[in-house]
Amino acid sequence: MADPAHPFQQCMDSLEMGGESFSYYNPLKLNDPRYERLPFSVRVLLESAVRNCDNFQVHPKDVENILSWEEAQTKAVEVPFRPARVILQDFTGVPAVVDFAAMRDAVKRLGGDPSKINPVCPADLVIDHSVQVDVSRSTSLVRNTPNPGGGLRPGHTASRAKAAVPAKTCGGAAKGCNICLNTGLPKLEEICPFHQQPTDCQDALSQNQKLEFQRNQERFQFLKWGAKALQNMLIVPPGSGIVHQVNLEYLGRVVFNTDGTLYPDSLVGTDSHTTMINGLGILGWGVGGIEAEAVMLGQAISMVLPQVVGYRITGQLDQLVTSTDVVLTITKHLRQVGVVGKFVEFFGSGVSQLSIADRATISNMCPEYGATVGFFPVDDMSMVYLRQTNRDQKKLEYIEAYLKACKMYRDYNNSDQDPTFSEIVELDLATVVPSVSGPKRPHDRVPVSDMKQDFQQCLDNKVSFKGFAIPKEKQPNAIPFTYNDTEYTLSHGSVVIAAITSCTNTSNPSVMLGAGLLAKKAVEAGLTVKPYIKTSLSPGSGVVTYYLQESGVTPYLQKLGFDIVGYGCMTCIGNSGPLPEPVAEAVEKGDLVAVGVLSGNRNFEGRIHPLTRANYLASPPLVIAYAIAGTVSIDFETEPLGKTADGKEIFLRDVWPTRAEIQEVERKNVVPAMFKDVYARIQDGNEAWNNLEASDAQLYPWDPKSTYIKSPPFFEEMTAEIPSLQPITDAFALLNLGDSVTTDHISPAGSIARNSPAARYLASKGLTPREFNSYGSRRGNDAVMARGTFANIRLLNKFIGKAAPKTHHVPSGDTMDVFDAAVRYREEGHSVIILAGKEYGSGSSRDWAAKGPWMQGIRAVIAESYERIHRSNLVGMGIIPLQYLSGETAESLGLTGKERFTIQLADDIQPGQTIDIKVNGRERTFKAVVRFDTPVELTYFRHGGILNYMVRRMITA
């Protein structure tokens, strides 16, 4: 029903379909010729501003600013945006629900109604970050297939003479098998996946899921409380898939229908790869958990109207090239162009050659090329995908009709529809070649044909993103080790992890079936994967399992060790689990540059596994190829993958499937019935989930003994009044950091090292090391997370001069853990700040990368530049982000980090203002820009952070 008082009531329109009447705000009724020149992504922003204009959060002036995008895009014009929904995963979702629970407590303490603290817009939380690859390879595989390392079950014969080696029983827990010891599962005669011998373990999938529930029972119970207590929140149980793939295949609406009113689906998410949904024509991007909570509470996002880079795609892909190769090429290209803080919108005739899964792969890696979004407007291919994934036919009809009525529906072959862009760059698909990216960054693309030479150069180069500084005399090192009674050797470049993982690729049937077809051809040619390589397959949804089985490739993947180990992010986020002990010992003994190859989206140093110093992103077929080769130091053109039983050399080209082969299998086997069957049961959960008991109370009953869920201290000293701005006086630098410090460096998600402050804290609570779990799983406990801040073993602090989670306490010169130094500064009454280089906070959106520093007492960061989401999170926690003037650095200013810094913000401070920072009292000053980019951010800061702002707003509403 139209609101006659609405400022844009004249834009109301109606649509009649199938006997139903729908209403919507039609931007065309603004009768402004500028609308059809706007990029399609900006049209979504405009529609939201028109529909949500309330003269409070959104004003008519905001609509005019967006219409004036061509002129306003370079003027840092602030506009509001109200997304239709929020999506979360459990690593970031748990702290968000913890904050909601804590806000309820705070509102009650300050005299308000805690029941008001609920998500206002729909919020979907998918539990996908908890499962780890504790166990890999299935028991049935080891029992029934040849194993070049031996370990066949008695009574089974090998197809190759050298494979048959008598097996010895590992004896399970009784003989000290770490895997068997940790399961607590009923005894079954199976094969230990690390020892390749009979034991009492179950298969990898069920065992990993059981371990997931053992470790995360408290977290899962807490989330079930949230699902009961908080209105408008959907929890998708563990074991269902990866958040972005579930979003693409199931949760994505494309067009919302709320009480008969239609509007574009849009969202923000607490994971930087939320952008994957852009491939389906849904505008969305990652924000910090703190900002997402504000959206959940009904706040508009305040954003600077972005420039929009048009990315024209032309031509056709070569038959041997995958969509992964395309995205790695685009990632490197756009990194070179420079698109940080900008929208990227794809257009051109080549887009019509890309499936929605291909487009989603490209959009998924948007954070890696630095843009805010990588948007593909809806077209006919989008509708084909919606039908393929079993979306309701009636909905499809109004989706298409509505988008066409608002001119938000594209024909990529019609250049007359091309809007105006800030700039245009181009890619001819015919120029794309098979590629990987690494060894330490996702945008360091390497053509597969150059891989052997490039890796050798990395060994030679000084320590850097493309260097390991391995002395020439140590490069030939070959470390022998015994695995399953057979001797092997590891050297620089040896593959020890090969993982088909991540929504980036497992959402794409073409590359998944390509991997399956390659596995089939490889097995038929007699090729194998060495048993010590930790191989795994972790699909993003049950649909993948369905079509791999239906196409008949599953047995071949299993024979190469790529069994399904779980449904979640797993290796891509660092949940790779332990390496076999003999392998770990060999890597450490030889100080080897061991390699992980994964079909993920990030490979930052220290992320995948502490012992894989080099990690390469690759398509699923290439993951299998490098696993078979056993090394990345190989030229696939001239060196064979292996030999048949009769000595014939088998090259990669002999087993590589063409796109035509893959498309034929996909056409036959990826059908709507699969999606219908899988997603009809997605909210049912499994027996373990359904048996969890959770409180029905309005306020969460915090357990003081819990080491997973703890009431955070963010509101303990909060008053109803807004505090005055306080200066930072004579602060010490807690850390002096360089370029590209990631959120993984700041707040790691992986395992908790036994000698770390977090480990000491957990041990003091009576936990043993095997019960520590990961930092990601303990994000609901501030005591663990504060101690885990800057605990990444790959952190490079200039005070120390080598990679270590350490710093100098400047007054004493003592070297200590970062957390311990922060505590000591606090006890001495000193404030602390951080000095950093370029791209500070790059990587995953991670609210604890801001909350952790706040808990360590960090008041400000001075950096050369920031990653967008992390800068926003710092503001959201009341930490001042300062930026050196262009061309200036700590080095150029002569700063060693051992000085003392005074920072005073005036009461009338303005966004983007330049201020003086005093060094050592009045000894000297330098200038820096205050990176509060909008007035709303400044408001949040004055309140002490966005959550404090929301609590005060609720108690005064």
Side-chain angles (χ1 to χ4, degrees):
M1 181 71 66
D3 177 3
H6 194 285
F8 293 98
Q9 191 274 335
Q10 78 275 13
C11 291
M12 285 299 297
D13 211 336
S14 62
L15 185 67
E16 302 288 334
M17 296 203 67
E20 286 190 77
S21 179
F22 303 96
S23 61
Y24 62 98
Y25 287 87
N26 191 343
L28 285 169
K29 285 199 165 186
L30 292 168
N31 296 317
D32 195 310
R34 293 174 294 178
Y35 175 71
E36 293 186 51
R37 298 199 303 270
L38 292 177
F40 284 69
S41 52
V42 177
R43 295 179 197 186
V44 178
L45 301 180
L46 178 66
E47 188 281 337
S48 175
V50 168
R51 175 168 41 87
N52 292 299
C53 189
D54 59 0
N55 286 309
F56 176 59
Q57 290 193 59
V58 186
H59 299 267
K61 178 63 176 175
D62 298 315
V63 172
E64 173 58 28
N65 284 339
I66 299 173
L67 276 170
S68 302
W69 171 81
E70 287 185 56
E71 296 76 33
Q73 59 173 308
T74 59
K75 298 179 180 178
V77 174
E78 175 197 356
V79 296
F81 176 54
R82 289 195 63 180
R85 59 190 174 98
V86 175
I87 196 162
L88 311 98
Q89 37 88 342
D90 58 303
F91 268 19
T92 50
V94 165
V97 179
V98 165
D99 288 346
F100 267 76
M103 281 191 282
R104 282 192 166 192
D105 291 343
V107 168
K108 182 176 177 61
R109 178 173 60 84
L110 294 172
D113 180 1
S115 66
K116 290 182 179 180
I117 301 292
N118 287 296
V120 174
C121 68
D124 303 313
L125 190 156
V126 180
I127 301 174
D128 66 352
H129 273 49
S130 300
V131 64
Q132 302 183 37
V133 192
D134 291 289
V135 183
S136 61
R137 305 204 183 205
S138 75
T139 57
S140 58
L141 154 67
V142 180
R143 188 165 55 228
N144 297 321
T145 60
N147 179 348
L152 293 173
R153 287 286 294 273
H156 290 264
T157 58
S159 60
R160 296 172 67 185
K162 292 184 178 180
V165 177
K168 293 182 179 179
T169 301
C170 84
K175 295 292 185 180
C177 170
N178 288 331
I179 295 302
C180 304
L181 280 169
N182 292 341
T183 61
L185 302 176
K187 183 174 182 180
L188 296 172
E189 188 185 11
E190 296 292 355
I191 298 293
C192 171
F194 285 177
H195 296 86
Q196 307 287 311
Q197 293 166 357
T199 185
D200 55 349
C201 296
Q202 293 183 336
D203 68 273
L205 174 60
S206 63
Q207 189 162 315
N208 288 331
Q209 289 178 335
K210 286 176 187 278
L211 288 168
E212 176 187 18
F213 270 85
Q214 287 176 16
R215 291 189 180 110
N216 296 285
Q217 180 172 329
E218 283 185 58
R219 298 173 65 246
F220 292 170
Q221 286 177 318
F222 174 69
L223 288 175
K224 286 195 78 170
W225 168 83
K228 291 180 180 181
L230 301 174
Q231 301 171 16
N232 217 13
M233 174 173 276
L234 168 70
I235 305 282
V236 177
S240 303
I242 301 174
V243 57
H244 306 306
Q245 188 162 342
V246 174
N247 193 20
L248 187 72
E249 296 177 351
Y250 176 66
L251 296 173
R253 284 81 153 172
V254 183
V255 170
F256 257 82
N257 175 7
T258 300
D259 300 327
T261 299
L262 304 180
Y263 51 96
D265 187 5
S266 60
L267 69 153
V268 291
T270 56
D271 188 284
S272 51
H273 294 100
T274 299
T275 53
M276 184 172 186
I277 201 66
N278 297 167
L280 187 54
I282 298 172
L283 189 68
W285 61 88
V287 296
I290 302 159
E291 192 173 7
E293 291 168 36
V295 175
M296 291 166 69
L297 289 166
Q299 295 297 292
I301 287 177
S302 181
M303 60 184 294
V304 173
L305 196 63
Q307 296 182 46
V308 183
V309 176
Y311 199 96
R312 181 187 285 119
I313 297 178
T314 60
Q316 291 188 338
L317 289 173
D318 182 89
Q319 281 289 306
L320 302 180
V321 168
T322 70
S323 58
T324 313
D325 304 319
V326 176
V327 71
L328 296 181
T329 301
I330 289 174
T331 298
K332 181 176 182 178
H333 184 197
L334 286 175
R335 271 288 174 184
Q336 293 170 333
V337 170
V339 293
V340 173
K342 302 177 183 179
F343 282 13
V344 172
E345 186 168 307
F346 296 91
F347 73 109
S349 59
V351 175
S352 60
Q353 307 295 317
L354 301 174
S355 68
I356 295 303
D358 291 339
R359 299 176 194 180
T361 299
I362 294 168
S363 296
N364 178 283
M365 288 192 68
C366 180
E368 282 64 56
Y369 46 82
T372 303
V373 301
F375 189 68
F376 290 86
V378 175
D379 71 336
D380 288 344
M381 190 71 78
S382 310
M383 305 309 295
V384 169
Y385 180 82
L386 292 174
R387 291 185 181 91
Q388 182 188 44
T389 51
N390 196 50
R391 264 54 171 221
D392 182 77
Q393 180 60 34
K394 183 180 289 188
K395 293 181 180 179
L396 298 188
E397 291 173 1
Y398 70 64
I399 287 171
E400 185 169 350
Y402 164 76
L403 293 175
K404 285 182 175 178
C406 295
K407 293 202 172 181
M408 294 186 188
Y409 195 95
R410 272 233 65 164
D411 177 357
Y412 288 99
N413 291 309
N414 182 0
S415 60
D416 291 340
Q417 291 186 3
D418 293 349
T420 300
F421 292 112
S422 307
E423 63 175 306
I424 293 175
V425 292
E426 186 168 340
L427 174 69
D428 181 353
L429 293 176
T431 64
V432 178
V433 298
S435 302
V436 298
S437 280
K440 302 179 185 181
R441 296 190 300 186
H443 54 278
D444 289 330
R445 185 182 69 87
V446 184
V448 171
S449 58
D450 297 343
M451 182 60 172
K452 184 174 183 178
Q453 178 184 357
D454 188 83
F455 183 75
Q456 179 60 51
Q457 290 175 344
C458 288
L459 294 181
D460 293 336
N461 293 344
K462 66 180 182 180
V463 174
S464 64
F465 295 119
K466 293 287 288 185
F468 298 101
I470 305 299
K472 282 289 187 183
E473 65 274 13
K474 293 186 178 181
Q475 291 183 14
N477 280 7
I479 307 301
F481 68 98
T482 300
Y483 183 79
N484 194 27
D485 295 331
T486 299
E487 187 170 292
Y488 300 91
T489 58
L490 289 179
S491 56
H492 296 295
S494 290
V495 174
V496 296
I497 290 176
I500 297 176
T501 182
S502 175
C503 53
T504 308
N505 283 288
T506 69
S507 63
N508 194 326
S510 68
V511 292
M512 294 302 290
L513 289 168
L517 292 173
L518 185 145
K520 180 177 184 293
K521 293 183 179 185
V523 170
E524 290 172 346
L527 299 178
T528 60
V529 175
K530 294 180 177 66
Y532 62 79
I533 296 176
K534 190 164 190 180
T535 48
S536 61
L537 168 57
S538 51
S541 81
V543 174
V544 179
T545 307
Y546 217 138
Y547 66 66
L548 290 178
Q549 290 173 341
E550 289 296 310
S551 61
V553 298
T554 297
Y556 301 98
L557 288 164
Q558 289 178 329
K559 286 181 179 180
L560 295 179
F562 289 91
D563 301 87
I564 293 176
V565 296
Y567 295 91
C569 301
M570 303 189 89
T571 300
C572 185
I573 59 166
N575 287 356
S576 54
L579 291 175
E581 196 61 32
V583 174
E585 290 175 356
V587 172
E588 291 178 316
K589 179 180 179 181
D591 193 24
L592 298 177
V593 181
V595 177
V597 183
L598 66 151
S599 63
N601 47 44
R602 285 194 171 144
N603 54 344
F604 299 125
E605 191 173 14
R607 177 183 177 94
I608 305 307
H609 192 281
L611 294 179
T612 56
R613 293 163 64 185
N615 295 281
Y616 288 92
L617 306 181
S619 66
L622 278 175
V623 170
I624 295 178
Y626 280 111
I628 294 171
T631 180
V632 295
S633 187
I634 183 174
D635 182 347
F636 285 132
E637 286 296 313
T638 61
E639 298 176 62
L641 282 175
K643 296 181 179 180
T644 62
D646 59 5
K648 178 185 176 183
E649 292 184 336
I650 302 295
F651 289 84
L652 181 57
R653 57 181 173 269
D654 299 324
V655 296
W656 192 269
T658 65
R659 284 179 69 84
E661 288 179 82
I662 296 167
Q663 289 167 353
E664 176 63 17
V665 175
E666 181 178 354
R667 184 184 64 79
K668 291 179 179 179
N669 294 286
V670 184
V671 295
M674 294 179 177
F675 294 87
K676 179 179 180 180
D677 183 53
V678 168
Y679 285 109
R681 296 178 278 107
I682 193 168
Q683 294 181 45
D684 295 344
N686 52 40
E687 183 179 0
W689 172 262
N690 294 330
N691 288 339
L692 285 176
E693 296 183 359
S695 169
D696 295 320
Q698 183 184 78
L699 299 178
Y700 183 70
W702 306 99
D703 179 359
K705 296 180 181 178
S706 174
T707 57
Y708 278 101
I709 305 297
K710 180 177 175 289
S711 181
F714 308 139
F715 311 108
E716 287 180 354
E717 298 180 3
M718 180 182 170
T719 61
E721 297 76 30
I722 302 173
S724 60
L725 295 181
Q726 297 297 314
I728 302 171
T729 304
D730 287 336
F732 286 100
L734 180 63
L735 294 155
N736 187 4
L737 305 171
D739 296 341
S740 296
V741 171
T742 71
T743 51
D744 282 306
H745 289 115
I746 303 169
S747 182
S751 59
I752 297 172
R754 296 189 182 194
N755 61 347
S756 65
R760 293 193 289 273
Y761 169 80
L762 292 171
S764 74
K765 299 296 182 181
L767 275 65
T768 61
R770 72 182 182 89
E771 296 172 310
F772 287 170
N773 210 332
S774 65
Y775 285 112
S777 67
R778 293 192 180 274
R779 285 180 178 163
N781 187 313
D782 60 272
V784 174
M785 298 309 296
R787 288 164 172 81
T789 302
F790 297 110
N792 191 313
I793 62 172
R794 301 297 182 189
L795 179 72
L796 191 59
N797 178 8
K798 294 178 184 178
F799 286 156
I800 303 300
K802 63 180 181 179
K806 304 284 186 180
T807 194
H808 280 323
H809 176 253
V810 173
S812 67
D814 293 343
T815 298
M816 58 183 67
D817 290 312
V818 177
F819 174 79
D820 294 338
V823 170
R824 189 164 170 182
Y825 280 121
R826 182 185 297 117
E827 290 173 346
E828 294 169 346
H830 299 309
S831 296
V832 290
I833 66 168
I834 289 175
L835 303 182
K838 299 180 181 68
E839 298 178 344
Y840 180 73
S842 58
S844 302
S845 59
R846 195 163 291 176
D847 58 342
W848 269 108
K851 290 177 178 176
W854 180 87
M855 292 198 64
Q856 290 188 353
I858 293 164
R859 300 280 305 281
V861 178
I862 309 175
E864 295 175 49
S865 65
Y866 294 87
E867 192 276 338
R868 176 183 61 85
I869 299 173
H870 184 63
R871 185 203 59 79
S872 173
N873 273 349
L874 291 175
V875 176
M877 284 307 298
I879 296 174
I880 306 171
L882 297 160
Q883 188 163 316
Y884 297 108
L885 298 184
S886 179
E888 293 186 351
T889 66
E891 288 76 12
S892 71
L893 293 169
L895 301 176
T896 66
K898 296 182 179 181
E899 301 84 359
R900 302 188 72 171
F901 301 85
T902 296
I903 301 165
Q904 173 72 64
L905 298 184
D907 289 337
D908 60 350
I909 185 74
Q910 298 297 311
Q913 185 173 331
T914 299
I915 65 168
D916 289 327
I917 297 177
K918 298 177 182 178
V919 180
N920 292 336
R922 298 182 178 275
E923 179 182 297
R924 58 192 173 107
T925 63
F926 67 92
K927 295 184 182 296
V929 177
V930 181
R931 287 296 309 275
F932 302 135
D933 289 355
T934 66
V936 171
E937 286 188 344
L938 189 52
T939 298
Y940 292 157
F941 175 77
R942 289 182 182 278
H943 278 263
I946 192 170
L947 301 182
N948 305 57
Y949 168 80
M950 290 306 305
V951 169
R952 290 191 178 97
R953 184 170 176 268
M954 287 296 175
I955 61 176
T956 58

